[in-house]
Amino acid sequence: MKKTGKKIVTVQEAFEVWFEEYVDVNTRTNTQKSYRGMIEKHIFPRLGNMELKKLNARILQKFINEKSKLLKRSSLSKLLAIMRSCFSYAVNPCEFCRSNPAENVWLPRDMEELGRTVHVFTHQDVAAIETQYPPGHDYYMALHICYYTGLRIGEALGLRWQDVNLEKHELTVTGTMLENGLRQSMPKTRSSYRTIPYGTQLQLLFQREWLRQRTVRQSIGKSRYNKGDYVCCRLESGKQICAPDFRFFNAWCKKHLGGGSTHSLRHTHATMLLEAGETMDAVSKRLGHSSIAITAKYYSHVTEKGKLKMRATLDNLFPPGNIRG
């Protein structure tokens, strides 16, 4: 929809212009899909038919306060960010309204201060996953890449053999596999493009899988097997694996482990590194977070555990009862 010059512009019309002229041009497919879902589910039903010029900060603050009771902090934060961006575009260059009504709208204080909770697999959980998804299973390589490197599932599925340096024990994240089975040549964010080291255990898995795929290609023909040269593919057919395929894994985790998903492997990896003494900054860069603040929010449980350890150390160094009063 193009700007028509009419005096009355609704909230929905403002969003349609923003999407056509900005979002569809400057964001990735997954981002566009995520934005559309949130807008159509939360914003349009409540605010879509309202005249944009009559929308103000108080109306939006009440809207956000109500949504805070229904949405997780991450979703609520994204919802507010979407509104701020759209209405900013409505002011300039569209000139639909004079000021951004979302500019002075904020998340409720308790939501801002609440750390993000993550599901971390125990050693027993990992052992159960190994039993359920052993070598020879289509999901095996992807699950282990997420566990041993902290990659997102889309990044693991989008990993090609040219992205893996078997000599240096390093891999480079250069893209991600979308839900529709197409590889996006850029990762989730700019900071997600990264080169990270991996350990001997994953090196052995890479070598074994590379030899397996090479053997299959020689027997059925290279042009017919794993055309994209992906590290993770279906063992017999060589076809691509997409993130939605792992809904079965996620459902199994919830049923047998009480919760968790492929993303929990990423959380588990990060938690293990932090508890082993790696710095928050190093883990943040490894995960591809845009800032260390994001990492700190996700893994505040580790810092809390560190505080308890610090108190115990202090009590050992300075035991009570030595103060004369």
Side-chain angles (χ1 to χ4, degrees), residues 258-316:
S261 64
T262 54
H263 215 65
S264 300
L265 294 167
R266 174 175 166 87
H267 293 319
T268 303
H269 178 82
T271 299
M272 291 172 67
L273 289 180
L274 290 169
E275 291 184 343
E278 291 292 337
T279 66
M280 191 73 73
D281 182 60
V283 173
S284 181
K285 288 182 172 61
R286 184 173 179 82
L287 296 179
H289 285 164
S290 58
S291 72
I292 194 173
I294 295 176
T295 315
K297 286 182 180 179
Y298 275 118
Y299 303 106
S300 59
H301 64 288
V302 181
T303 57
E304 287 300 318
K305 188 177 292 186
K307 290 178 183 177
L308 292 175
K309 184 179 179 180
M310 174 66 77
R311 293 191 190 101
T313 301
L314 290 170
D315 287 341
N316 288 331

Side-chain angles (χ1 to χ4, degrees), residues 119 121 125 250-260:
H119 187 100
F121 290 128
D125 292 338
N250 298 343
W252 180 85
C253 289
K254 292 177 182 178
K255 180 178 180 180
H256 297 279
L257 305 180

